[in-house]
Amino acid sequence: MSESRPTTNARFDPAPLLDPVDHSAVREYEVRNGFRPGGGGGVPWYGVLLGLVLGGFAALIVALPLLFVVMLVDGVLEASTGVGIPGDVVFPLAFAGAATIIASFAWYAVKSSRLEGEARFRVSRFAAANGLEFVPRIAEPAAPGMIFEHGSDRVASEIVRLSQPRAVEIANYRYVKQTTKTHETFRWSYLAFTLDRTLPHIVLDARSNDSKLLGSNLPNALATAQQLSLEGDFDRHFTLHCPEGYEADALYLFTPDIMARFIDAGAGFDVEIVDDRLSLYSSGSRAFSSADPAMWEWVFSTVDALNAKLERWERWRDERLAEPSSAVAQPLGPLPAMPRGVAPQGRRLKQRIPLLAFLPVVVMAGIWFCIPLLDSLG
């Protein structure tokens, strides 16, 4: 593991992100760091045989609806030209189409896996070439933030760290949500600053990545009473949530120049301030730690821009911690220094029940009301 880069102002070397890679070195890296199973240099014969058998069964299943399509096409051709598809060709044609579809999906899955492995390997070389600390993966990372509170099989990967003027971590992250019938993987990427001050829990929910139908893409549904409107066009880009009673503190932290910086650097990304950590989140396939030099240019420029503004945040104090208790006599003498930290009411935002949680209830209620209505009409 190499020493951390002393500053982000120096131009970084993007060559390791673009240079050709040795595929055997990529495979060794993937196996060593647990991204793929080890052993052997290729797929064993019984693995190939099992894949062919399963692929054949899948092709048979897909061929059934394709057979219906071929029969429809046959009917149209015969009605318009008088010449149809020979009967003994119909099923082989449907099966060949299904096999082509299955093979295309398999090829895409293998190619995507290979490209992901190459990207991970390139990031490791990029970090080493630029004097950055690099960690291949961390299972169940212990970090504050709403994306780290959900699911199972939580893994942070391609972790790149800087140390000056404050600790910064850039990484990709995923977790799995399982029910009795579903198995869904959620992918995020984050850019996190470690601050020299614990701050109130504040969330900037970017409007550009929200759904018009389902609302926020964030995993936690936050109580709407905690929303705070700020001046200018900031509300067009973000919905700001802060604990009730901390509105003045949010205005102290989010001065117009800092709001402008977040709009320039973070519009399209969600932002969370929790404990002593400021994180920018990207959901889906838009990874911060990637083999894209343009993304790293954005990352380093964003780190520089925000570092220049965060000193003001680290001077913030929670005056609620200094409020004297009426039950305790205060000694005479110089006033003690303002305590560090955040009062309990400002440490976490309140959550609400998401609207989708009511959907099963609404459906069941609709069925319960509709059944007697249909009976009466019948």
Side-chain angles (χ1 to χ4, degrees):
M1 189 178 294
S2 56
E3 292 184 0
S4 297
R5 175 188 180 130
T7 178
T8 63
N9 290 326
R11 181 177 176 82
F12 65 88
D13 178 13
L17 299 173
L18 304 171
D19 290 343
V21 296
D22 181 352
H23 294 297
S24 62
V26 173
R27 177 174 176 80
E28 190 275 332
Y29 171 85
E30 292 281 278
V31 172
R32 184 176 71 249
N33 293 293
F35 291 107
R36 69 167 67 178
V43 180
W45 67 267
Y46 53 83
V48 175
L49 180 61
L50 179 61
L52 290 174
V53 171
L54 293 177
F57 277 116
L60 283 174
I61 294 173
V62 175
L64 295 177
L66 283 183
L67 180 62
F68 179 71
V69 173
V70 172
M71 293 173 64
L72 286 178
V73 173
D74 177 45
V76 171
L77 287 175
E78 189 168 1
S80 58
T81 65
V83 179
I85 301 174
D88 56 348
V89 178
V90 172
F91 182 77
L93 187 61
F95 184 81
T100 302
I101 293 173
I102 298 298
S104 298
F105 274 107
W107 173 84
Y108 178 78
V110 171
K111 182 177 178 61
S112 297
S113 176
R114 181 174 63 81
L115 291 176
E116 288 178 1
E118 289 183 5
R120 285 190 285 261
F121 181 71
R122 290 177 189 276
V123 172
S124 70
R125 296 199 315 173
F126 169 76
N130 287 276
L132 301 169
E133 181 183 341
F134 179 77
V135 180
R137 63 183 276 147
I138 297 176
E140 305 295 334
M146 63 174 68
I147 69 171
F148 302 100
E149 300 172 354
H150 295 267
S152 60
D153 195 19
R154 297 182 286 264
V155 175
S157 60
E158 297 84 64
I159 304 156
V160 177
R161 289 172 176 159
L162 295 76
S163 62
Q164 298 295 333
R166 54 180 55 81
V168 178
E169 183 170 292
I170 306 104
N172 302 323
Y173 175 73
R174 58 110 169 129
Y175 62 87
V176 177
K177 273 193 173 181
Q178 289 180 290
T179 65
T180 55
K181 295 183 178 180
T182 62
H183 181 283
E184 187 174 4
T185 299
F186 293 82
R187 299 185 183 276
W188 294 83
S189 194
Y190 64 86
L191 166 60
F193 297 75
T194 299
L195 308 174
D196 189 33
R197 181 74 53 198
T198 302
L199 296 176
H201 191 193
I202 296 176
V203 169
L204 307 182
D205 184 0
R207 292 182 178 273
S208 61
N209 57 25
D210 289 346
S211 166
K212 292 183 179 180
L213 178 62
L214 302 177
S216 175
N217 69 317
L218 291 173
N220 290 355
L222 302 175
T224 55
Q226 301 166 121
Q227 293 181 8
L228 175 64
S229 178
L230 298 178
E231 62 183 37
D233 62 350
F234 192 78
D235 289 345
R236 292 178 50 244
H237 299 278
F238 293 100
T239 300
L240 188 148
H241 300 261
C242 71
E244 294 182 67
Y246 279 79
E247 292 80 6
D249 302 271
L251 293 175
Y252 170 84
L253 297 172
F254 289 91
T255 55
D257 61 324
I258 290 181
M259 289 191 294
R261 179 56 63 186
F262 269 109
I263 291 174
D264 293 339
F269 303 103
D270 302 298
V271 182
E272 182 176 23
I273 305 164
V274 57
D275 298 338
D276 62 346
R277 190 172 168 110
L278 162 66
S279 300
L280 276 67
Y281 299 138
S282 170
S283 61
S285 59
R286 194 177 183 184
F288 290 150
S289 188
S290 71
D292 180 7
M295 176 57 77
W296 284 107
E297 182 69 41
W298 178 89
V299 165
F300 289 136
S301 62
T302 299
V303 169
D304 287 337
L306 293 180
N307 268 330
K309 302 296 181 182
L310 293 179
E311 289 184 7
R312 173 183 174 86
W313 288 19
E314 293 173 339
R315 295 193 297 269
W316 176 85
R317 300 289 190 277
D318 192 342
E319 296 180 353
R320 298 157 190 81
L321 294 176
E323 294 175 356
S325 171
S326 58
V328 179
Q330 300 299 312
L332 298 176
L335 294 175
M338 183 78 74
R340 298 168 66 94
V342 181
Q345 63 268 33
R347 294 173 189 169
R348 291 296 183 271
L349 288 164
K350 297 177 181 178
Q351 299 184 33
R352 60 177 173 82
I353 301 175
L355 294 177
L356 286 178
F358 295 100
L359 184 59
V361 178
V362 173
V363 171
M364 292 300 296
I367 294 174
W368 188 76
F369 279 108
C370 286
I371 289 176
L373 179 62
L374 293 175
D375 287 341
S376 64
L377 293 176

